[in-house]
Amino acid sequence: MTRRFAPPPRSILTSITMMGLLTLAACGSDMRTMNNARMQTLANFFAQHEPGDPLPRGWRRLDGREINYRFANETYSIYSIDEDEQILVMSLDDIGRGRLEADGDLESCIWNSVADQLSIECDDTDMDWQIFSNGPELIALDLDEEEYAIMRKRPGR
């Protein structure tokens, strides 16, 4: 005698399908985009942190290879820690070109990473930054101004 199993109830199939779709949506979302509360926490800490002081546990300076990996073909908003506002948006491609948008002006740029810093040369602006990360989050130290800024990845491009 052969036993036949009944198909699972429709509610179970619907539940499994929904869980699968939610999992796909979670995998497709960009977890590197920092939320506002976390950004404020970082701003408060780094506003009191002097350049050259030891970094908090888990933070480290990125080398040139890691900078290329994190910034090529990405767009970041850069936020001033002292003024608590967005100061510019940078979009960099993987062939050393990009653009900066600040105060309504759009500048074409050339960028590269040398040793452990990100260098950006634009029409009217030149910047050299050291980039620090704890994994998903990025902080930039402007080497000219000796000030920190938060780098918040923008979804999409």
Side-chain angles (χ1 to χ4, degrees):
M1 180 152 111
T2 307
R3 285 192 166 196
R4 294 186 58 140
F5 293 100
R10 183 172 288 256
S11 62
I12 290 176
L13 290 175
T14 302
S15 296
I16 291 171
T17 301
M18 291 303 292
M19 286 182 358
L21 290 174
L22 288 172
T23 301
L24 284 174
C27 291
S29 65
D30 194 337
M31 299 306 289
R32 296 177 294 173
T33 303
M34 187 184 315
N35 69 44
N36 290 335
R38 179 61 182 156
M39 193 167 84
Q40 192 62 46
T41 300
L42 286 175
N44 290 337
F45 176 81
F46 280 95
Q48 299 172 21
H49 188 271
E50 290 296 320
D53 286 351
L55 293 169
R57 184 178 188 91
W59 284 83
R60 64 185 180 79
R61 185 174 11 188
L62 299 183
D63 64 25
R65 182 184 50 79
E66 294 170 304
I67 291 170
N68 282 339
Y69 175 77
R70 296 290 290 263
F71 288 91
N73 295 317
E74 298 292 354
T75 299
Y76 283 88
S77 295
I78 314 300
Y79 291 85
S80 167
I81 287 177
D82 297 330
E83 298 166 18
D84 193 27
E85 65 182 0
Q86 178 177 303
I87 52 177
L88 61 95
V89 174
M90 87 178 169
S91 297
L92 306 176
D93 66 22
D94 64 349
I95 58 170
R97 301 199 183 276
R99 66 183 190 277
L100 287 184
E101 184 179 337
D103 299 326
D105 293 333
L106 187 63
E107 296 185 52
S108 295
C109 304
I110 296 173
W111 72 278
N112 64 45
S113 56
V114 178
D116 64 352
Q117 72 185 45
L118 173 63
S119 296
I120 301 175
E121 295 178 23
C122 303
D123 300 334
D124 296 324
T125 309
D126 292 337
M127 294 177 280
D128 293 308
W129 289 331
Q130 288 181 332
I131 310 296
F132 300 91
S133 178
N134 65 353
E137 299 164 332
L138 296 171
I139 296 289
L141 173 60
D142 183 327
L143 296 175
D144 295 327
E145 302 290 327
E146 293 193 357
E147 294 177 349
Y148 287 101
I150 295 174
M151 305 185 98
R152 184 177 186 181
K153 185 174 181 310
R154 297 179 95 182
R157 181 154 183 201

PDB file of all heavy atoms in Angstrom, residues 82-103:
ATOM      1  N   ASP A  82      30.807  69.586  12.663  1.00  0.00           N
ATOM      2  CA  ASP A  82      30.637  70.801  13.457  1.00  0.00           C
ATOM      3  C   ASP A  82      29.338  71.529  13.152  1.00  0.00           C
ATOM      4  O   ASP A  82      28.691  72.063  14.041  1.00  0.00           O
ATOM      5  CB  ASP A  82      31.814  71.762  13.219  1.00  0.00           C
ATOM      6  CG  ASP A  82      33.122  71.146  13.667  1.00  0.00           C
ATOM      7  OD1 ASP A  82      33.109  70.330  14.608  1.00  0.00           O
ATOM      8  OD2 ASP A  82      34.160  71.464  13.058  1.00  0.00           O
ATOM      9  N   GLU A  83      28.954  71.574  11.874  1.00  0.00           N
ATOM     10  CA  GLU A  83      27.779  72.347  11.486  1.00  0.00           C
ATOM     11  C   GLU A  83      26.537  71.493  11.325  1.00  0.00           C
ATOM     12  O   GLU A  83      25.452  72.009  11.083  1.00  0.00           O
ATOM     13  CB  GLU A  83      28.081  73.085  10.176  1.00  0.00           C
ATOM     14  CG  GLU A  83      29.228  74.062  10.326  1.00  0.00           C
ATOM     15  CD  GLU A  83      29.743  74.545   8.987  1.00  0.00           C
ATOM     16  OE1 GLU A  83      29.021  74.414   7.984  1.00  0.00           O
ATOM     17  OE2 GLU A  83      30.870  75.051   8.961  1.00  0.00           O
ATOM     18  N   ASP A  84      26.677  70.171  11.439  1.00  0.00           N
ATOM     19  CA  ASP A  84      25.552  69.237  11.358  1.00  0.00           C
ATOM     20  C   ASP A  84      24.719  69.465  10.100  1.00  0.00           C
ATOM     21  O   ASP A  84      23.512  69.615  10.156  1.00  0.00           O
ATOM     22  CB  ASP A  84      24.674  69.355  12.614  1.00  0.00           C
ATOM     23  CG  ASP A  84      23.692  68.194  12.723  1.00  0.00           C
ATOM     24  OD1 ASP A  84      23.988  67.113  12.195  1.00  0.00           O
ATOM     25  OD2 ASP A  84      22.623  68.389  13.328  1.00  0.00           O
ATOM     26  N   GLU A  85      25.398  69.526   8.953  1.00  0.00           N
ATOM     27  CA  GLU A  85      24.691  69.707   7.693  1.00  0.00           C
ATOM     28  C   GLU A  85      25.481  69.067   6.559  1.00  0.00           C
ATOM     29  O   GLU A  85      26.690  68.876   6.657  1.00  0.00           O
ATOM     30  CB  GLU A  85      24.470  71.182   7.386  1.00  0.00           C
ATOM     31  CG  GLU A  85      25.754  71.948   7.141  1.00  0.00           C
ATOM     32  CD  GLU A  85      25.510  73.416   6.896  1.00  0.00           C
ATOM     33  OE1 GLU A  85      24.358  73.861   6.912  1.00  0.00           O
ATOM     34  OE2 GLU A  85      26.493  74.132   6.666  1.00  0.00           O
ATOM     35  N   GLN A  86      24.779  68.770   5.481  1.00  0.00           N
ATOM     36  CA  GLN A  86      25.432  68.222   4.300  1.00  0.00           C
ATOM     37  C   GLN A  86      26.251  69.322   3.650  1.00  0.00           C
ATOM     38  O   GLN A  86      25.758  70.418   3.422  1.00  0.00           O
ATOM     39  CB  GLN A  86      24.384  67.704   3.323  1.00  0.00           C
ATOM     40  CG  GLN A  86      24.972  67.151   2.044  1.00  0.00           C
ATOM     41  CD  GLN A  86      23.897  66.586   1.142  1.00  0.00           C
ATOM     42  OE1 GLN A  86      23.161  65.711   1.540  1.00  0.00           O
ATOM     43  NE2 GLN A  86      23.803  67.122  -0.061  1.00  0.00           N
ATOM     44  N   ILE A  87      27.520  69.031   3.379  1.00  0.00           N
ATOM     45  CA  ILE A  87      28.359  70.051   2.767  1.00  0.00           C
ATOM     46  C   ILE A  87      28.626  69.782   1.293  1.00  0.00           C
ATOM     47  O   ILE A  87      28.859  70.708   0.540  1.00  0.00           O
ATOM     48  CB  ILE A  87      29.684  70.256   3.533  1.00  0.00           C
ATOM     49  CG1 ILE A  87      30.416  68.929   3.744  1.00  0.00           C
ATOM     50  CG2 ILE A  87      29.432  70.945   4.847  1.00  0.00           C
ATOM     51  CD1 ILE A  87      31.769  69.059   4.423  1.00  0.00           C
ATOM     52  N   LEU A  88      28.599  68.517   0.880  1.00  0.00           N
ATOM     53  CA  LEU A  88      28.753  68.224  -0.534  1.00  0.00           C
ATOM     54  C   LEU A  88      28.318  66.802  -0.834  1.00  0.00           C
ATOM     55  O   LEU A  88      28.112  66.001   0.070  1.00  0.00           O
ATOM     56  CB  LEU A  88      30.195  68.457  -1.016  1.00  0.00           C
ATOM     57  CG  LEU A  88      31.325  67.653  -0.396  1.00  0.00           C
ATOM     58  CD1 LEU A  88      31.639  66.422  -1.236  1.00  0.00           C
ATOM     59  CD2 LEU A  88      32.560  68.526  -0.317  1.00  0.00           C
ATOM     60  N   VAL A  89      28.151  66.541  -2.109  1.00  0.00           N
ATOM     61  CA  VAL A  89      27.839  65.203  -2.599  1.00  0.00           C
ATOM     62  C   VAL A  89      28.915  64.858  -3.612  1.00  0.00           C
ATOM     63  O   VAL A  89      29.223  65.667  -4.487  1.00  0.00           O
ATOM     64  CB  VAL A  89      26.451  65.143  -3.266  1.00  0.00           C
ATOM     65  CG1 VAL A  89      26.207  63.775  -3.885  1.00  0.00           C
ATOM     66  CG2 VAL A  89      25.357  65.493  -2.266  1.00  0.00           C
ATOM     67  N   MET A  90      29.509  63.680  -3.463  1.00  0.00           N
ATOM     68  CA  MET A  90      30.530  63.284  -4.420  1.00  0.00           C
ATOM     69  C   MET A  90      30.143  61.967  -5.064  1.00  0.00           C
ATOM     70  O   MET A  90      29.686  61.042  -4.395  1.00  0.00           O
ATOM     71  CB  MET A  90      31.897  63.222  -3.760  1.00  0.00           C
ATOM     72  CG  MET A  90      32.251  61.965  -3.116  1.00  0.00           C
ATOM     73  SD  MET A  90      33.914  62.060  -2.438  1.00  0.00           S
ATOM     74  CE  MET A  90      33.819  60.552  -1.509  1.00  0.00           C
ATOM     75  N   SER A  91      30.277  61.924  -6.375  1.00  0.00           N
ATOM     76  CA  SER A  91      30.035  60.718  -7.161  1.00  0.00           C
ATOM     77  C   SER A  91      31.317  60.417  -7.907  1.00  0.00           C
ATOM     78  O   SER A  91      31.800  61.255  -8.674  1.00  0.00           O
ATOM     79  CB  SER A  91      28.906  60.933  -8.172  1.00  0.00           C
ATOM     80  OG  SER A  91      27.704  61.209  -7.509  1.00  0.00           O
ATOM     81  N   LEU A  92      31.888  59.243  -7.661  1.00  0.00           N
ATOM     82  CA  LEU A  92      33.160  58.877  -8.269  1.00  0.00           C
ATOM     83  C   LEU A  92      32.994  57.610  -9.094  1.00  0.00           C
ATOM     84  O   LEU A  92      32.298  56.686  -8.682  1.00  0.00           O
ATOM     85  CB  LEU A  92      34.209  58.650  -7.178  1.00  0.00           C
ATOM     86  CG  LEU A  92      34.399  59.811  -6.195  1.00  0.00           C
ATOM     87  CD1 LEU A  92      35.390  59.428  -5.111  1.00  0.00           C
ATOM     88  CD2 LEU A  92      34.837  61.068  -6.904  1.00  0.00           C
ATOM     89  N   ASP A  93      33.622  57.586 -10.254  1.00  0.00           N
ATOM     90  CA  ASP A  93      33.536  56.376 -11.070  1.00  0.00           C
ATOM     91  C   ASP A  93      34.819  55.559 -10.917  1.00  0.00           C
ATOM     92  O   ASP A  93      35.724  55.942 -10.169  1.00  0.00           O
ATOM     93  CB  ASP A  93      33.222  56.696 -12.530  1.00  0.00           C
ATOM     94  CG  ASP A  93      34.337  57.457 -13.227  1.00  0.00           C
ATOM     95  OD1 ASP A  93      35.495  57.405 -12.767  1.00  0.00           O
ATOM     96  OD2 ASP A  93      34.049  58.106 -14.238  1.00  0.00           O
ATOM     97  N   ASP A  94      34.896  54.448 -11.629  1.00  0.00           N
ATOM     98  CA  ASP A  94      36.039  53.554 -11.443  1.00  0.00           C
ATOM     99  C   ASP A  94      37.220  53.870 -12.363  1.00  0.00           C
ATOM    100  O   ASP A  94      38.209  53.146 -12.354  1.00  0.00           O
ATOM    101  CB  ASP A  94      35.621  52.096 -11.605  1.00  0.00           C
ATOM    102  CG  ASP A  94      35.144  51.769 -13.008  1.00  0.00           C
ATOM    103  OD1 ASP A  94      34.940  52.702 -13.808  1.00  0.00           O
ATOM    104  OD2 ASP A  94      34.958  50.585 -13.298  1.00  0.00           O
ATOM    105  N   ILE A  95      37.153  54.941 -13.119  1.00  0.00           N
ATOM    106  CA  ILE A  95      38.284  55.308 -13.976  1.00  0.00           C
ATOM    107  C   ILE A  95      38.927  56.626 -13.533  1.00  0.00           C
ATOM    108  O   ILE A  95      39.577  57.309 -14.321  1.00  0.00           O
ATOM    109  CB  ILE A  95      37.884  55.368 -15.472  1.00  0.00           C
ATOM    110  CG1 ILE A  95      36.752  56.367 -15.703  1.00  0.00           C
ATOM    111  CG2 ILE A  95      37.539  53.996 -15.996  1.00  0.00           C
ATOM    112  CD1 ILE A  95      36.467  56.652 -17.168  1.00  0.00           C
ATOM    113  N   GLY A  96      38.740  56.982 -12.284  1.00  0.00           N
ATOM    114  CA  GLY A  96      39.401  58.152 -11.733  1.00  0.00           C
ATOM    115  C   GLY A  96      38.734  59.478 -12.010  1.00  0.00           C
ATOM    116  O   GLY A  96      39.319  60.524 -11.800  1.00  0.00           O
ATOM    117  N   ARG A  97      37.504  59.455 -12.460  1.00  0.00           N
ATOM    118  CA  ARG A  97      36.761  60.691 -12.698  1.00  0.00           C
ATOM    119  C   ARG A  97      35.555  60.736 -11.770  1.00  0.00           C
ATOM    120  O   ARG A  97      35.124  59.737 -11.246  1.00  0.00           O
ATOM    121  CB  ARG A  97      36.311  60.783 -14.143  1.00  0.00           C
ATOM    122  CG  ARG A  97      37.464  60.755 -15.113  1.00  0.00           C
ATOM    123  CD  ARG A  97      37.074  61.304 -16.458  1.00  0.00           C
ATOM    124  NE  ARG A  97      38.168  61.209 -17.397  1.00  0.00           N
ATOM    125  CZ  ARG A  97      39.143  62.088 -17.498  1.00  0.00           C
ATOM    126  NH1 ARG A  97      39.155  63.132 -16.717  1.00  0.00           N
ATOM    127  NH2 ARG A  97      40.108  61.938 -18.381  1.00  0.00           N
ATOM    128  N   GLY A  98      35.015  61.917 -11.630  1.00  0.00           N
ATOM    129  CA  GLY A  98      33.839  62.052 -10.789  1.00  0.00           C
ATOM    130  C   GLY A  98      33.307  63.470 -10.825  1.00  0.00           C
ATOM    131  O   GLY A  98      33.699  64.281 -11.669  1.00  0.00           O
ATOM    132  N   ARG A  99      32.416  63.746  -9.883  1.00  0.00           N
ATOM    133  CA  ARG A  99      31.864  65.091  -9.784  1.00  0.00           C
ATOM    134  C   ARG A  99      31.522  65.379  -8.322  1.00  0.00           C
ATOM    135  O   ARG A  99      31.209  64.483  -7.558  1.00  0.00           O
ATOM    136  CB  ARG A  99      30.647  65.261 -10.677  1.00  0.00           C
ATOM    137  CG  ARG A  99      29.460  64.433 -10.297  1.00  0.00           C
ATOM    138  CD  ARG A  99      28.309  64.612 -11.297  1.00  0.00           C
ATOM    139  NE  ARG A  99      27.114  64.005 -10.799  1.00  0.00           N
ATOM    140  CZ  ARG A  99      26.814  62.717 -10.895  1.00  0.00           C
ATOM    141  NH1 ARG A  99      27.641  61.899 -11.500  1.00  0.00           N
ATOM    142  NH2 ARG A  99      25.698  62.235 -10.396  1.00  0.00           N
ATOM    143  N   LEU A 100      31.621  66.639  -7.982  1.00  0.00           N
ATOM    144  CA  LEU A 100      31.249  67.131  -6.657  1.00  0.00           C
ATOM    145  C   LEU A 100      30.152  68.151  -6.829  1.00  0.00           C
ATOM    146  O   LEU A 100      30.189  68.968  -7.745  1.00  0.00           O
ATOM    147  CB  LEU A 100      32.424  67.818  -5.960  1.00  0.00           C
ATOM    148  CG  LEU A 100      33.555  66.986  -5.433  1.00  0.00           C
ATOM    149  CD1 LEU A 100      34.550  67.889  -4.711  1.00  0.00           C
ATOM    150  CD2 LEU A 100      33.081  65.898  -4.507  1.00  0.00           C
ATOM    151  N   GLU A 101      29.199  68.105  -5.924  1.00  0.00           N
ATOM    152  CA  GLU A 101      28.155  69.111  -5.895  1.00  0.00           C
ATOM    153  C   GLU A 101      28.169  69.754  -4.513  1.00  0.00           C
ATOM    154  O   GLU A 101      28.011  69.067  -3.506  1.00  0.00           O
ATOM    155  CB  GLU A 101      26.796  68.470  -6.159  1.00  0.00           C
ATOM    156  CG  GLU A 101      25.678  69.463  -6.227  1.00  0.00           C
ATOM    157  CD  GLU A 101      24.342  68.799  -6.518  1.00  0.00           C
ATOM    158  OE1 GLU A 101      24.320  67.685  -7.077  1.00  0.00           O
ATOM    159  OE2 GLU A 101      23.319  69.416  -6.174  1.00  0.00           O
ATOM    160  N   ALA A 102      28.419  71.053  -4.495  1.00  0.00           N
ATOM    161  CA  ALA A 102      28.454  71.794  -3.242  1.00  0.00           C
ATOM    162  C   ALA A 102      27.859  73.175  -3.464  1.00  0.00           C
ATOM    163  O   ALA A 102      28.201  73.850  -4.443  1.00  0.00           O
ATOM    164  CB  ALA A 102      29.890  71.920  -2.734  1.00  0.00           C
ATOM    165  N   ASP A 103      26.977  73.575  -2.576  1.00  0.00           N
ATOM    166  CA  ASP A 103      26.339  74.896  -2.659  1.00  0.00           C
ATOM    167  C   ASP A 103      25.732  75.154  -4.031  1.00  0.00           C
ATOM    168  O   ASP A 103      25.820  76.261  -4.574  1.00  0.00           O
ATOM    169  CB  ASP A 103      27.337  76.006  -2.321  1.00  0.00           C
ATOM    170  CG  ASP A 103      27.877  75.887  -0.911  1.00  0.00           C
ATOM    171  OD1 ASP A 103      27.116  75.453  -0.029  1.00  0.00           O
ATOM    172  OD2 ASP A 103      29.054  76.222  -0.696  1.00  0.00           O
TER     173      ASP A 103
END
